[in-house]
Structures are given as C-alpha cells and as structure tokens.
Amino acid sequence: MNEPLLAVTSGEPAGIGIDICLDLPNMDLPNMDLPCPVVVLGDETLLAQRAAQLGRNVRIQRWSGEKQPAPDALNVYHIPLRVPCTAGRLDPRNSPYVVELLDKAMDGIADGVFAGMVTAPVHKGVINQHYGDKMYFSGHTEYLAERSGTPQVVMMLSGGGLRVALLTTHLPLKDVAGRISPELVESVARILDKDLREKFRLPQPKILLAGLNPHAGENGYLGREEIDIMQPAARKLREIHGIDITDPLPADTLFQPFYLDGADAVLAAYHDQGLPVLKYAAFGKGVNITLGLPFVRTSVDHGTALDLAGTGKARSGSLHAAVLAAFEMASG
C-alpha cells in the first residue's frame, strides 16, 4: 500500500509557520524522520528567502500532483503571496493567500491527492482585519467545518500520554455553564467515541468526563449542572449508545494515574480546565486534532509567534508531532 501523502499548510507568512516548515526535509534533524511524504503549501520564494535569512541549507523542490515528492527536499505546492512579506510584520493584504492555502489543501483531499492536512498557525486578527464584514474567520476549525459542511466538530489535544477533548472551546468563562446541555454532552461524546474508534482504531474507548464545578458539584452544593445535565447525559450515552463514559468526575483529581490508567481520553467541560494540564505535560510537542471532520486534520499546539519569526528560535517539535499523528490516523 502506498504511503499517505499529507498536505502541510504553512499558515501566516509573517509567523513561524514558514520557519518550522523548513525543518520538514530533516536535513539536520536525524532524530525526527517523517513516516510519509509531505507537501508544503506556500509561496516558494518566501520559503527560500526565509531559509536564507535563517542560514538554512534547504533544497526546495516545486511539486505538482503529476509527480512524486522528491526525497530529501522541501516539496512545495507553490501558491503565490499577494504582496511581499517580512518576518514578524503582518500585512492584511496576504490574508486571501492564507485562506487559499486551506482551500487548496481541502481541494486536494477531495480529489484524493492528499490523505489529510496538517496546519501551521494563522493569525485570526489580521484575516478579519482584511475581510471586515465580508467574512468572519474564527479559526481553522470553524472554517474547515463550514467549508466541508460539517455541522459539529470537536477540539481535542494530544500529547504527553494524554488526549483531552473539549465540550466548549473559546468562550468567556461566564458563558460556559449556560452553553452546557444534555444534547451538547451527548453529541460531543458521540463524535469523540466515533473518531477514537475509526481514526485511532480503539475498539472500545474509555472516556473520563470532567465535571463543570469544583468537586463535580459536591452533590449539588457547588452547582447542579452535574446532577441535572451531565449525569443523565452520561447515563444515556452508556445505556443507549454503548459508549464507555464515566459520570462527571472532579477535574482537580481525575488527571492522575488512578483514573487515567486504562482511559483513552478526557472530556473536559471548558478550555482552561483540561488544556493547561496537557500543555504542561507536552507543550511544544502537543497536537491539536479536529474530530468530526470527514478527513484527517491536525495542527500545532502554538500560535504564530511573530516575535520569533526569522530569528532561528522557533522549534518544530509540535509540527513533527502533528505530522506523525496525521499519518497514524490517515494510514489506518
């Protein structure tokens, strides 16, 4: 069977996405060999300029779908910038270029050219600055879901021996409790269970459900969301859908071997409940995975880091981990 070919979108051109993509040929990273060929979507001239700025000896090979990626080279699907770019300096005029990278990767997946996509970070603020009222770009996840017609997706981060999925993502803390409903718990848990089975090939995933309130509500004294919403949803998931999910557990104690041993994922109630633990365990080597999409998509666990772009200080460990994760899911 042929190895899957993965698309890597290079992201915001002024950020470190360009820098870390230059590590993909592994010419000086012998311990980070990739398991499959990858193609970087981006501006060929920009990649060459950044390589020269960083003093990197990288052989850049323009790629088209008509030939196999060249070994020991950075294979680039050339998509031209709208205007020249300087490391660390955002330019809204290049926002259509950033969006085009995602569109071309998705087109390649739809055509069967790519087995999945790995995304370097984008800068949401500058994209929205360019498009104004014409389009609101809330992030990779939402854009890919809308363009693929996916009604619901789930954010999961993996690393340090953990998988942490989220019931809610980028919400103010004051809005989290109002967003959690039995329907949300059920739909997110079903997507999580389905992708753990199909993309991670786990025959009977075990999911730990984190309670919303301190001490998981302490029998209602610290909040009733666990009793009124989360417990009934978990019971329905077990009894009707056959999903192995716990009742809500206290989040301050579930991240320990007593609970984690034998578990396949934690379903956290909100962003800063679960992700600080995972990022402490694996920052710089973690992977952001979008569940629920009809294709494989992984991403790095960091942002554009404009202050590091072009300095040689950016580290590509998370990109490497994201490629490995995408390969494992796509090759199943």
Side-chain angles (χ1 to χ4, degrees):
M1 183 177 66
N2 292 331
E3 292 178 318
L5 177 62
L6 299 176
V8 179
T9 59
S10 54
E12 166 54 49
I16 64 170
I18 299 297
D19 304 44
I20 60 178
C21 283
L22 292 171
D23 283 340
L24 288 171
N26 303 304
M27 296 179 72
D28 57 0
L29 296 171
N31 297 321
M32 295 178 68
D33 292 336
L34 296 178
C36 64
V38 300
V39 171
V40 173
L41 279 65
D43 186 285
E44 180 181 341
T45 301
L46 173 64
L47 285 156
Q49 290 173 342
R50 191 71 58 86
Q53 181 177 350
L54 295 171
R56 298 291 309 278
N57 181 23
V58 179
R59 183 167 72 90
I60 295 175
Q61 176 71 47
R62 183 175 292 202
W63 176 88
S64 71
E66 300 175 356
K67 59 184 179 181
Q68 289 296 318
D72 301 321
L74 185 70
N75 292 277
V76 178
Y77 178 1
H78 176 62
I79 298 172
L81 284 167
R82 300 306 193 265
V83 295
C85 174
T86 300
R89 297 182 185 177
L90 295 171
D91 192 324
R93 292 174 294 176
N94 277 321
S95 295
Y97 157 85
V98 175
V99 174
E100 186 181 0
L101 301 179
L102 303 177
D103 290 341
K104 294 295 187 183
M106 291 189 68
D107 291 343
I109 292 172
D111 293 340
V113 177
F114 301 127
M117 63 190 297
V118 180
T119 57
V122 299
H123 194 287
K124 292 179 285 189
V126 75
I127 295 175
N128 288 316
Q129 181 182 345
H130 172 80
Y131 283 102
D133 296 334
K134 297 179 182 178
M135 181 182 78
Y136 175 64
F137 186 90
S138 56
H140 276 117
T141 303
E142 295 81 3
Y143 183 80
L144 297 176
E146 180 178 357
R147 193 175 184 277
S148 64
T150 306
Q152 185 177 10
V153 292
V154 173
M155 178 179 176
M156 184 177 80
L157 268 76
S158 174
L162 299 171
R163 297 187 189 97
V164 179
L166 302 178
L167 272 178
T168 63
T169 52
H170 300 113
L171 286 177
L173 190 57
K174 65 181 178 61
D175 296 335
V176 170
R179 187 66 62 88
I180 294 177
S181 66
E183 295 78 15
L184 180 68
V185 176
E186 292 170 25
S187 61
V188 170
R190 292 181 68 181
I191 291 171
L192 175 59
D193 178 78
K194 180 177 184 292
D195 273 15
L196 288 174
R197 293 173 187 267
E198 296 182 357
K199 293 180 180 176
F200 291 86
R201 297 177 296 284
L202 298 171
Q204 184 62 46
K206 180 176 181 180
I207 300 168
L208 305 180
L209 177 61
L212 170 67
N213 297 296
H215 305 171
E218 204 166 286
N219 295 321
Y221 290 104
L222 295 176
R224 293 193 56 84
E225 285 83 3
E226 288 78 9
I227 295 173
D228 297 337
I229 297 174
M230 303 179 85
Q231 286 181 11
R235 188 182 311 116
K236 181 178 178 180
L237 287 163
R238 291 191 297 268
E239 295 177 355
I240 297 179
H241 301 291
I243 294 176
D244 187 356
I245 186 170
T246 66
D247 282 338
L249 299 169
D252 64 340
T253 56
L254 74 78
F255 288 99
Q256 58 169 310
F258 177 81
Y259 288 113
L260 292 174
D261 286 350
D264 295 297
V266 172
L267 180 52
Y270 57 94
H271 186 281
D272 281 13
Q273 181 186 66
L275 296 194
V277 180
L278 185 138
K279 291 193 176 185
Y280 175 78
F283 190 72
K285 296 182 180 179
V287 182
N288 186 345
I289 302 169
T290 305
L291 305 180
L293 291 170
F295 53 86
V296 170
R297 181 258 170 166
T298 67
S299 184
V300 296
D301 68 350
H302 56 76
T304 53
L306 296 169
D307 57 326
L308 298 181
T311 68
K313 297 179 180 179
R315 297 293 176 260
S316 56
S318 182
L319 180 63
H320 181 252
V323 171
L324 289 178
F327 165 75
E328 290 171 1
M329 289 187 284
S331 62

